[in-house]
Amino acid sequence: TKEKDHKDTLRALNANLELANVYYKIRNYENAIERYEQIIATFVKIRESLRGNDLTAQQLLATQFSDQQMALQYYNAACSNSLGGRIVESRRLLRKAVSLDAIHFTNVGIDGDLKNLREAEGYEDYRQSLRVLVEEESI
């Protein structure tokens, strides 16, 4: 049934969130990255299914699956990718996070998890492109 599918999706999402946190804490970034990929895919699927639905669905979209929550998942995935040495993917995910919630731009320069990203070639140009993105969003 549809309700069972929804419950299974939410159960899988919560399990992946917990696993991502555990893998991150034990510095197993490869597995954390895999979990974040699943989390992001599930978030996208849920957000798409909630658009245009009833008031309850709209409330869920505005709270649990808001742009800010989606941005947080992208940001966490970017951090894990940076820690795992996947700079190109980290940049891609961080751009998505910042485009949804500009607060993450502030974190780029100070978050220790993004140190590899900051030390990578082309960082200043990348940061400037994020700054432009934030400025465009504020217009």
Side-chain angles (χ1 to χ4, degrees):
T1 67
K2 194 173 183 179
E3 185 176 332
K4 183 183 180 309
D5 289 344
H6 290 311
K7 286 182 181 180
D8 289 346
T9 299
L10 291 175
R11 193 175 299 118
L13 176 63
N14 288 329
N16 279 314
L17 284 165
E18 288 180 29
L19 281 170
N21 288 330
V22 168
Y23 286 133
Y24 171 84
K25 286 178 185 174
I26 64 171
R27 297 183 174 158
N28 184 332
Y29 303 121
E30 274 308 304
N31 283 328
I33 290 166
E34 287 178 25
R35 295 300 99 215
Y36 280 116
E37 288 171 356
Q38 289 296 313
I39 291 164
I40 289 168
T42 303
F43 253 78
V44 168
K45 179 180 169 183
I46 290 170
R47 285 168 53 96
E48 287 172 356
S49 73
L50 291 174
R51 285 194 174 90
N53 281 334
D54 62 22
L55 184 58
T56 303
Q58 293 304 311
Q59 290 170 334
L60 280 172
L61 187 57
T63 57
Q64 291 178 297
F65 301 101
S66 66
D67 285 354
Q68 290 77 21
Q69 289 300 315
M70 184 81 233
L72 179 61
Q73 303 314 314
Y74 281 127
Y75 183 79
N76 288 339
C79 288
S80 290
N81 274 275
S82 175
L83 289 164
R86 294 179 170 183
I87 303 307
V88 171
E89 184 66 3
S90 179
R91 286 179 177 171
R92 183 185 75 78
L93 292 162
L94 190 56
R95 178 173 300 284
K96 287 186 175 212
V98 170
S99 71
L100 289 170
D101 189 353
I103 190 72
H104 296 294
F105 176 74
T106 312
N107 299 331
V108 174
I110 57 175
D111 192 324
D113 291 349
L114 297 172
K115 180 181 177 196
N116 291 335
L117 183 140
R118 286 192 300 275
E119 292 177 350
E121 185 176 332
Y123 169 71
E124 287 305 322
D125 290 338
Y126 173 74
R127 183 170 168 84
Q128 183 57 33
S129 74
L130 288 181
R131 183 184 320 279
V132 169
L133 180 66
V134 169
E135 290 169 358
E136 287 174 356
E137 290 295 316
S138 66
I139 293 176

